[in-house]
Each structure stands twice: as structure tokens, then as C-alpha cells.
Amino acid sequence: MMNMTDMVKHLLIINIIFFVGSFLIPNSAELLALHYFESDKFRLWQPITHMFMHGGLMHIFFNMFALVSFGSALEQMWGGKKFLFFYLSCGIGSMLLHSGVNYYLFHHTLDLLIENGINQTEIFQVLNEGKYNTQWLEFISQSTMDNMASAFLTPAVGASGAIYGLLVAFAFMFPNAELALMFIPVPIKAKYFVPVILSIDLFLGLKGDSLFGSGGTGVAHFAHLGGALCGFLMMWYWKKNQFNNNRWD
């Protein structure tokens, strides 16, 4: 692993501070995690702050390991300002796709309930209390109800979307670099590894009773894909305009 670069080091420290602070400061996780934007718990700062929150020790460990491993190489090529812009943009792209999928899941079920005479205000009121009405199951399936409740009630945390953007950028910049990862016994070239990881996320994201089911994994797969898509589009644009060799410092 190469020496850690300055911006990567700053991001690492901020993530650790947020992680420790989430255990020390009451209600900080609820305030800083990303809630569904139609929920009463949504706040304007959450699209940014959720990127620095993590759900557990292994969650932050793997994200920060990837940040240091791949981010340092990219920052050396780009410089700190361009790297930070890319990182935050991928995190926001991740949030947008994740929120868009949740919007589809929620409103697909909301429309079904309204068509069956359930009052919209009542639906929002019950969900904002962190519950759902079992009588709604007369009109929709349990899996559809679970998708709606998960979309509305489950907050998103983590730098994974931004990290997936870094993975895509690394594969662009160093396609033949061999990645020797902890859970894979043989090195794999980045240009093969990244598409495989994204394909797995897409499969798991689509798995389930509905088009955008969670697949029962408890992982925001479309957040990963959103970060990767944003990273791909930015790298494609920069390469097309030969902008990827310019430093912003």
C-alpha cells in the first residue's frame, strides 16, 4: 500500500470522528444519517453527513481500507482538490440513485393503498411513527409492504457510494493493476474485478419480489451502483476532454 495522501488522510480522520461521535452524542445517528426525503426525519444536511456515518466497526473498516488503498493512488494523480470533488460527487450520485429507487418503491405501494381507499395523510402519519398498519395487508402483499416500509423508514449511512466511485476511477486509471483482496485468494486485474463487483450488486439489488427489491441483504446496493455510475460518467467525461491529467491545486 502506498503512503497515505493528505486529502485521503483528512477524510479518514473525519470518518473516524463521526463514527466515534455517533456513539458518544445522543441522537447523532438519527440526525446525520440519510432519511427518506418525504419523512419527517429528513434534514437538508443529511445528503452530505450520511457519507461520514457508518453502521458498525466492519462497515467503517472496509470502507476506510478501500479509501486509503485506492484513494491515495488517485489523489497522487489528480491532486487533492480534484480528488475531493470526485469523492463527494460520487457520494451525492449514490444518494440520488438510492433515493430515486426508494421513491419508486414507496410511491408504487402508496398509490395501491390510495386506490383502495386508504387516506394518504393517515399513511404518512403512521409511517412517521415508525410503524405500518397491518390492515393494509388486505390490499398489498407482505413483501410489497416490507419494501415500502424499508424505503421510508430505513436510514442510509456510509461512504460506500463514494468508495465505489473510487473503484471505477481506479479501474479507469490502472486497469491492469492486480488487486489482492482479503476475501479473494488470487490477484485479479482491476478492469475485471470492478465489473464483477458491480454485476453482483446489480443482481442483488434486483433480486426480490419487486423490480427494485432489497434481496434481503440489508445492503443499499443501488447506492453502490449510483456511486459507481457517477464515477464512470465523470471519468468518461474527463477522459473525453483530456481533463483527467490536469491538477486543480
Side-chain angles (χ1 to χ4, degrees), residues 181-194:
L181 301 178
M182 289 178 286
F183 50 89
I184 298 179
V186 294
I188 301 176
K189 290 184 177 181
K191 62 184 178 182
Y192 303 129
F193 173 78
V194 173

Side-chain angles (χ1 to χ4, degrees), residues 17-39:
I17 290 173
F18 270 69
F19 183 70
V20 174
S22 67
F23 292 98
L24 299 178
I25 303 173
N27 299 321
S28 59
E30 182 171 307
L31 286 172
L32 301 178
L34 178 66
H35 292 272
Y36 179 64
F37 68 92
E38 292 180 290
S39 166

Side-chain angles (χ1 to χ4, degrees), residues 15-237:
N15 275 275
I16 292 173
I17 290 173
F18 270 69
F19 183 70
V20 174
S22 67
F23 292 98
L24 299 178
I25 303 173
N27 299 321
S28 59
E30 182 171 307
L31 286 172
L32 301 178
L34 178 66
H35 292 272
Y36 179 64
F37 68 92
E38 292 180 290
S39 166
D40 287 348
K41 293 182 179 180
F42 176 76
R43 301 292 183 270
L44 290 176
W45 55 78
Q46 291 173 357
I48 298 296
T49 57
H50 86 282
M51 287 188 257
F52 302 100
M53 302 292 290
H54 288 86
L57 189 59
M58 295 305 294
H59 190 199
I60 189 173
F61 172 77
F62 282 111
N63 275 347
M64 295 303 99
F65 179 82
L67 171 63
V68 174
S69 300
F70 303 111
S72 295
L74 294 171
E75 186 181 346
Q76 280 198 345
M77 296 291 294
W78 293 340
K81 292 180 181 179
K82 182 177 177 181
F83 172 78
L84 180 62
F85 174 80
F86 182 88
Y87 180 89
L88 294 178
S89 296
C90 290
I92 293 171
S94 165
M95 177 272 299
L96 290 174
L97 184 58
H98 175 74
S99 298
V101 170
N102 279 345
Y103 179 86
Y104 168 83
L105 285 173
F106 177 73
H107 278 271
H108 170 72
T109 310
L110 178 67
D111 291 343
L112 291 175
L113 293 176
I114 293 174
E115 288 172 5
N116 283 279
I118 309 298
N119 182 270
Q120 177 172 316
T121 302
E122 175 196 339
I123 296 171
F124 275 94
Q125 181 178 353
V126 172
L127 288 172
N128 277 313
E129 293 173 356
K131 302 179 292 185
Y132 67 83
N133 192 332
T134 55
Q135 293 180 351
W136 299 346
L137 296 175
E138 297 177 19
F139 313 110
I140 57 176
S141 67
Q142 182 66 59
S143 62
T144 303
M145 184 69 257
D146 290 342
N147 281 329
M148 180 191 196
S150 177
F152 193 92
L153 299 175
T154 305
V157 295
S160 301
I163 296 300
Y164 268 66
L166 297 185
L167 284 172
V168 169
F170 188 88
F172 257 86
M173 302 289 287
F174 311 101
N176 294 313
E178 293 188 337
L179 306 179
L181 301 178
M182 289 178 286
F183 50 89
I184 298 179
V186 294
I188 301 176
K189 290 184 177 181
K191 62 184 178 182
Y192 303 129
F193 173 78
V194 173
V196 168
I197 290 295
L198 294 178
S199 297
I200 292 172
D201 262 304
L202 180 60
F203 170 77
L204 293 176
L206 292 172
K207 185 180 178 181
D209 292 333
S210 68
L211 177 62
F212 295 110
S214 65
T217 64
V219 177
H221 296 289
F222 282 93
H224 296 173
L225 294 169
L229 177 61
C230 183
F232 174 82
L233 292 174
M234 292 178 69
M235 292 302 297
W236 174 81
Y237 178 79

